[in-house]
Short mmCIF file of all heavy atoms in Angstrom, two decimals:
data_model
loop_
_atom_site.label_atom_id
_atom_site.label_comp_id
_atom_site.label_asym_id
_atom_site.label_seq_id
_atom_site.Cartn_x
_atom_site.Cartn_y
_atom_site.Cartn_z
N MET A 1129 -65.00 11.80 -56.11
CA MET A 1129 -63.85 11.53 -55.27
C MET A 1129 -63.00 10.44 -55.95
O MET A 1129 -63.38 9.28 -55.93
CB MET A 1129 -64.35 11.06 -53.88
CG MET A 1129 -63.23 10.95 -52.86
SD MET A 1129 -63.79 10.23 -51.28
CE MET A 1129 -65.02 11.40 -50.71
N PRO A 1130 -61.89 10.80 -56.59
CA PRO A 1130 -61.13 9.83 -57.36
C PRO A 1130 -60.33 8.87 -56.50
O PRO A 1130 -60.04 9.12 -55.35
CB PRO A 1130 -60.20 10.72 -58.18
CG PRO A 1130 -59.98 11.93 -57.32
CD PRO A 1130 -61.30 12.15 -56.61
N GLY A 1131 -59.98 7.76 -57.13
CA GLY A 1131 -59.13 6.77 -56.51
C GLY A 1131 -59.68 5.36 -56.63
O GLY A 1131 -60.85 5.17 -56.93
N CYS A 1132 -58.83 4.40 -56.40
CA CYS A 1132 -59.25 3.00 -56.42
C CYS A 1132 -58.45 2.25 -55.36
O CYS A 1132 -57.50 1.54 -55.67
CB CYS A 1132 -59.03 2.38 -57.79
SG CYS A 1132 -59.63 0.68 -57.91
N PRO A 1133 -58.91 2.40 -54.14
CA PRO A 1133 -59.94 3.33 -53.66
C PRO A 1133 -59.31 4.68 -53.29
O PRO A 1133 -58.09 4.81 -53.20
CB PRO A 1133 -60.42 2.64 -52.36
CG PRO A 1133 -59.18 1.98 -51.83
CD PRO A 1133 -58.40 1.52 -53.06
N PRO A 1134 -60.17 5.70 -53.07
CA PRO A 1134 -59.62 6.95 -52.52
C PRO A 1134 -58.99 6.65 -51.15
O PRO A 1134 -59.52 5.81 -50.42
CB PRO A 1134 -60.86 7.84 -52.34
CG PRO A 1134 -61.92 7.20 -53.18
CD PRO A 1134 -61.61 5.74 -53.24
N SER A 1135 -57.91 7.31 -50.85
CA SER A 1135 -57.23 7.06 -49.57
C SER A 1135 -58.09 7.59 -48.40
O SER A 1135 -58.98 8.43 -48.59
CB SER A 1135 -55.88 7.73 -49.54
OG SER A 1135 -56.02 9.15 -49.48
N ALA A 1136 -57.79 7.13 -47.22
CA ALA A 1136 -58.47 7.62 -46.02
C ALA A 1136 -58.28 9.13 -45.89
O ALA A 1136 -59.23 9.83 -45.50
CB ALA A 1136 -57.92 6.91 -44.79
N ASP A 1137 -57.11 9.64 -46.28
CA ASP A 1137 -56.89 11.08 -46.21
C ASP A 1137 -57.76 11.85 -47.18
O ASP A 1137 -58.21 12.96 -46.88
CB ASP A 1137 -55.41 11.40 -46.48
CG ASP A 1137 -54.51 10.96 -45.30
OD1 ASP A 1137 -55.00 10.87 -44.18
OD2 ASP A 1137 -53.32 10.74 -45.56
N VAL A 1138 -58.05 11.26 -48.33
CA VAL A 1138 -58.97 11.91 -49.30
C VAL A 1138 -60.37 11.97 -48.69
O VAL A 1138 -61.03 13.00 -48.76
CB VAL A 1138 -58.96 11.18 -50.66
CG1 VAL A 1138 -60.10 11.66 -51.55
CG2 VAL A 1138 -57.61 11.36 -51.38
N PHE A 1139 -60.82 10.87 -48.10
CA PHE A 1139 -62.14 10.88 -47.44
C PHE A 1139 -62.15 11.98 -46.37
O PHE A 1139 -63.12 12.75 -46.28
CB PHE A 1139 -62.44 9.53 -46.78
CG PHE A 1139 -63.10 8.54 -47.68
CD1 PHE A 1139 -62.35 7.57 -48.29
CD2 PHE A 1139 -64.46 8.58 -47.90
CE1 PHE A 1139 -62.95 6.64 -49.14
CE2 PHE A 1139 -65.08 7.68 -48.74
CZ PHE A 1139 -64.32 6.70 -49.35
N TRP A 1140 -61.16 12.01 -45.54
CA TRP A 1140 -61.10 12.98 -44.44
C TRP A 1140 -61.12 14.40 -44.98
O TRP A 1140 -61.84 15.25 -44.50
CB TRP A 1140 -59.86 12.73 -43.57
CG TRP A 1140 -59.81 13.66 -42.42
CD1 TRP A 1140 -58.92 14.69 -42.26
CD2 TRP A 1140 -60.66 13.68 -41.29
NE1 TRP A 1140 -59.19 15.35 -41.08
CE2 TRP A 1140 -60.24 14.74 -40.46
CE3 TRP A 1140 -61.73 12.90 -40.88
CZ2 TRP A 1140 -60.87 15.04 -39.26
CZ3 TRP A 1140 -62.36 13.19 -39.69
CH2 TRP A 1140 -61.93 14.25 -38.89
N HIS A 1141 -60.31 14.66 -46.02
CA HIS A 1141 -60.24 16.00 -46.61
C HIS A 1141 -61.60 16.41 -47.18
O HIS A 1141 -62.07 17.53 -46.94
CB HIS A 1141 -59.17 15.99 -47.71
CG HIS A 1141 -58.79 17.33 -48.22
ND1 HIS A 1141 -57.88 18.13 -47.61
CD2 HIS A 1141 -59.25 18.01 -49.31
CE1 HIS A 1141 -57.75 19.26 -48.29
NE2 HIS A 1141 -58.57 19.21 -49.31
N TYR A 1142 -62.24 15.52 -47.95
CA TYR A 1142 -63.54 15.79 -48.56
C TYR A 1142 -64.60 16.07 -47.50
O TYR A 1142 -65.31 17.08 -47.56
CB TYR A 1142 -64.00 14.59 -49.41
CG TYR A 1142 -64.03 14.85 -50.88
CD1 TYR A 1142 -62.83 14.92 -51.62
CD2 TYR A 1142 -65.24 15.01 -51.55
CE1 TYR A 1142 -62.86 15.13 -52.97
CE2 TYR A 1142 -65.26 15.21 -52.92
CZ TYR A 1142 -64.10 15.27 -53.63
OH TYR A 1142 -64.12 15.49 -54.98
N LEU A 1143 -64.72 15.15 -46.54
CA LEU A 1143 -65.79 15.29 -45.54
C LEU A 1143 -65.53 16.49 -44.64
O LEU A 1143 -66.47 17.22 -44.29
CB LEU A 1143 -65.90 14.01 -44.72
CG LEU A 1143 -66.43 12.82 -45.53
CD1 LEU A 1143 -66.41 11.54 -44.67
CD2 LEU A 1143 -67.84 13.07 -46.07
N SER A 1144 -64.27 16.75 -44.28
CA SER A 1144 -63.99 17.94 -43.45
C SER A 1144 -64.38 19.21 -44.16
O SER A 1144 -65.01 20.11 -43.55
CB SER A 1144 -62.48 17.98 -43.12
OG SER A 1144 -62.11 16.89 -42.34
N ALA A 1145 -64.08 19.33 -45.46
CA ALA A 1145 -64.44 20.51 -46.21
C ALA A 1145 -65.96 20.68 -46.25
O ALA A 1145 -66.49 21.78 -45.99
CB ALA A 1145 -63.89 20.44 -47.63
N LEU A 1146 -66.69 19.61 -46.54
CA LEU A 1146 -68.16 19.71 -46.63
C LEU A 1146 -68.78 20.04 -45.28
O LEU A 1146 -69.72 20.83 -45.22
CB LEU A 1146 -68.72 18.42 -47.20
CG LEU A 1146 -68.43 18.17 -48.68
CD1 LEU A 1146 -68.79 16.76 -49.09
CD2 LEU A 1146 -69.14 19.19 -49.56
#
Side-chain angles (χ1 to χ4, degrees):
M1129 188 185 299
C1132 184
S1135 70
D1137 289 335
V1138 168
F1139 273 98
W1140 182 251
H1141 191 85
Y1142 248 75
L1143 293 175
S1144 295
L1146 290 169

